[in-house]
Structure formats: C-alpha cells, structure tokens
Amino acid sequence: RNMANFTTVSGFLLMGFSAKPELEVLWASLFLVLYLVALTGNTLIIAATSMDDSLYSPMYFFLKQLSFLDICYISVMVPRSICNSFRHTSSISLWECILQCLAFILCASAELAMLTVMSYDRYVAICLPLRYEIIMNVNTCIHGILAIWISGVVSGVMHTSATFSIHFCGANVIHQFFCEVPQLLKLACSDEYVRELGVTGFLSLVAFLCFLSIGFSYTRIFSTVLRIPSAEGRAKAFATCLPHLAVVTLFLSTGAFEFLKPHSDSPTALDFLLTLFYTVLPPTLNPMIYSLRNKAMKAALQRVVKRRKAYLFC
C-alpha cells in the first residue's frame, strides 16, 4: 500500500465480536453480563470505602480509586460494542474513534500506574510497618493519584496523536470490537506506522519499569512473609498477594504481546482473545481479587447492603 492510495478518512467499520449474527448476539450478551458484574462490583467497593469509617486507610483509598478507574476503563469500549452488536451496526466516526483511542490508552496507562502504586503501598505496609503511616501519609496518597492520572493523560495524548498523524490506505475496516491501536496501524500506508513505533517503544519501556517495580515490591514482600512464624499468617499474606500478581502479569503480558507482535493483514481468534484478557477481565476480576477476599471489606459491603435495604423499606 503506497501513499498514492491513501484516502481522507471520515470513519471506520468495527468488525465486532463475530461475523455470524447469532454468535455476535451471544458474544454481546456475554460481554453485557461481564460489564454489569464489573460495574456492580466496583460500585459496591466505592460505596463501601466511602461510607465505612473503618476503611479510611491508604490501602482502601487506592482501592476506591482503582474501582473508579476500572469503571472508566471498561466503559470506554464495551457499552458501545454491545450496542453496535444488538443494533447490527458497525460504523464509528473518525472523532469517536480518536476519543475512544485516547480514553482507552489513558485508562490503560493509569491502570498500570495504579497497580504499581498499590504494590508499593503493600510493600511499605508489610516490610516497613513501623514507618507506614509516615511514608503513606495524606500528601503521598494525593500526589500518587495525581501522578497516576497525569501519566495516563500524557500517554493517551502521545499515543493517540502519533497514531492519527499517519495516513490510512484501503478499506477502513478495524478487525476488533473497538478502535485498538495495533489494528489501526494495520491500515497505515506503506511504513508510515514506523513514526508511531517510537512512542510505542517509549511507553513499553515505562510499562516494563512499572513491572520491574511491582516485581521488586513483591519479591521483598514474599521474602518478609516467608519469615512469618505463623503458617496461618503466611497463608493469609500469600492469598492476598498472589492473585494481585497474577492479574498484573496477565494484564501486562497480553497487552505487551498484542502491541509488540508483528502486524498481519489477516485477523485471528488470538487477537480477539488477547484483547479480551487485558480489556474486560481485569476490571471484572479486580473487585473479587482485591476486596471480596478481604474480611474487612466483606463486613463493610454487608453494612452497605443493610443500609440500602433499610432505606428502601423506610
């Protein structure tokens, strides 16, 4: 594809979940269930951490921010995709695609930064318990949240501006259920996408540094936990840490593989599966992993539900 064939793009066609209408509706129904589960779980966490005085600590403050971010993250692409599937439409305008791409990169980058900050919070709590309140004070928490959102905005603007500065050739068909950067780069004329690779490389380096930071935090955490004399104490700590590490690894590895693998012109089921892993599953699983295994959070959620029932029957 050379520059002579490029066209002025006014919109794209999203291929959706499946080419078969009956499978399209089935996939859309599954995504609707996952979306409602994610929305309910994260909303309950926000309500519990906001209303319960016993959860006023840095860990639950970051957990509330993560839940809000997860709602934003999954809401960027899933509701629009579900509506398109049920209405049997696939078009998306250029500006809608740009905004969706910007919001998705912003939320994905902020999600990674949030997971990094949360792992540091757990490191300080377990490895430096006597200095925890000094290190993780109010200013540290607020500055951490500001840094997370600023990093998300910067990443989103860099990625989106680099992606949409290229010319697109041929059919404007995106073989995905939302405007995903790797799929957009497949439409680039000739080797124009090379200019976007610099941004991808830089952000990949930042993501790798975040992963190293998370790995360092959990190496120190596990080293400290293994010295706990109580078997019950060790089991409780591992039960909290291992699922978090599993979600981080799943989110980073699938996202990195999808963004860094060689681009091909023929879509595969693996492309769709990898996208599902790093877009839909983390916001759905996070409430269960971070909170529903936590006794304090379970008790707070029960109190919130009881208050809601009492309010409804008054």
Side-chain angles (χ1 to χ4, degrees):
R1 294 176 296 192
N2 54 47
M3 284 293 295
N5 295 325
F6 89 87
T7 56
T8 302
V9 175
S10 60
F12 298 93
L13 293 177
L14 301 173
M15 292 307 293
F17 305 120
S18 174
K20 298 179 179 180
E22 59 274 12
L23 289 179
E24 179 83 359
V25 173
L26 182 62
W27 277 108
S29 301
L30 174 61
F31 269 57
L32 178 60
V33 171
L34 291 175
Y35 179 67
L36 292 176
V37 169
L39 206 61
T40 303
N42 286 294
T43 301
L44 283 173
I45 290 173
I46 292 173
T49 52
S50 299
M51 298 169 61
D52 200 297
D53 294 339
S54 66
L55 301 182
Y56 284 176
S57 70
M59 181 179 77
Y60 295 110
F61 172 76
F62 288 126
L63 184 58
K64 178 167 65 174
Q65 302 300 321
L66 177 69
S67 295
F68 174 74
L69 180 57
D70 278 338
I71 291 175
C72 297
Y73 182 62
I74 198 171
S75 297
V76 168
M77 61 282 181
V78 172
R80 172 61 186 265
S81 303
I82 292 171
C83 288
N84 283 355
S85 297
F86 285 131
R87 292 165 56 193
H88 301 292
T89 61
S90 57
S91 61
I92 184 170
S93 70
L94 175 63
W95 282 106
E96 283 179 305
C97 190
I98 292 173
L99 288 175
Q100 191 178 66
C101 184
L102 172 64
F104 174 73
I105 297 298
L106 188 159
C107 291
S109 301
E111 178 97 1
L112 177 58
M114 182 71 75
L115 293 173
T116 305
V117 171
M118 291 180 73
S119 68
Y120 176 74
D121 173 69
R122 291 297 82 209
Y123 159 72
V124 176
I126 294 175
C127 300
L128 305 170
L130 298 180
R131 299 177 57 193
Y132 181 70
E133 292 185 1
I134 299 174
I135 297 175
M136 302 303 296
N137 55 39
V138 175
N139 287 335
T140 302
C141 294
I142 293 175
H143 290 159
I145 294 300
L146 287 176
I148 286 167
W149 283 105
I150 290 172
S151 68
V153 171
V154 171
S155 299
V157 170
M158 287 176 62
H159 230 323
T160 306
S161 58
T163 299
F164 288 94
S165 67
I166 63 178
H167 294 96
F168 299 104
C169 294
N172 298 326
V173 178
I174 299 175
H175 294 283
Q176 195 54 268
F177 61 90
F178 71 103
C179 289
E180 188 188 37
V181 171
Q183 296 297 327
L184 286 166
L185 295 182
K186 293 180 181 180
L187 307 178
C189 297
S190 187
D191 291 330
E192 276 200 21
Y193 67 86
V194 171
R195 67 177 71 169
E196 211 276 340
L197 292 182
V199 175
T200 301
F202 172 73
L203 295 180
S204 298
L205 176 61
V206 173
F208 180 68
L209 292 176
C210 288
F211 182 72
L212 287 181
S213 175
I214 293 171
F216 171 79
S217 295
Y218 274 93
T219 300
R220 297 296 300 272
I221 287 171
F222 290 154
S223 176
T224 302
V225 168
L226 288 174
R227 293 197 296 268
I228 296 176
S230 167
E232 183 180 350
R234 290 196 301 270
K236 183 179 178 180
F238 279 128
T240 303
C241 298
L242 289 176
H244 177 204
L245 202 56
V247 167
V248 171
T249 304
L250 178 67
F251 178 75
L252 269 179
S253 59
T254 53
F257 184 73
E258 173 67 11
F259 273 74
L260 299 178
K261 72 177 183 179
H263 304 305
S264 64
D265 293 326
S266 57
T268 64
L270 181 62
D271 290 331
F272 179 79
L273 188 61
L274 288 171
T275 306
L276 174 68
F277 278 155
Y278 81 89
T279 56
V280 178
L281 291 186
T284 306
L285 295 177
N286 282 349
M288 291 177 278
I289 290 174
Y290 293 113
S291 304
L292 301 184
R293 297 172 61 93
N294 185 305
K295 290 182 179 180
M297 179 58 68
K298 283 182 181 179
L301 288 173
Q302 289 173 355
R303 287 191 288 270
V304 169
V305 172
K306 287 180 180 178
R307 287 176 188 172
R308 181 63 177 172
K309 287 181 178 179
Y311 175 79
L312 290 175
F313 288 111
C314 283

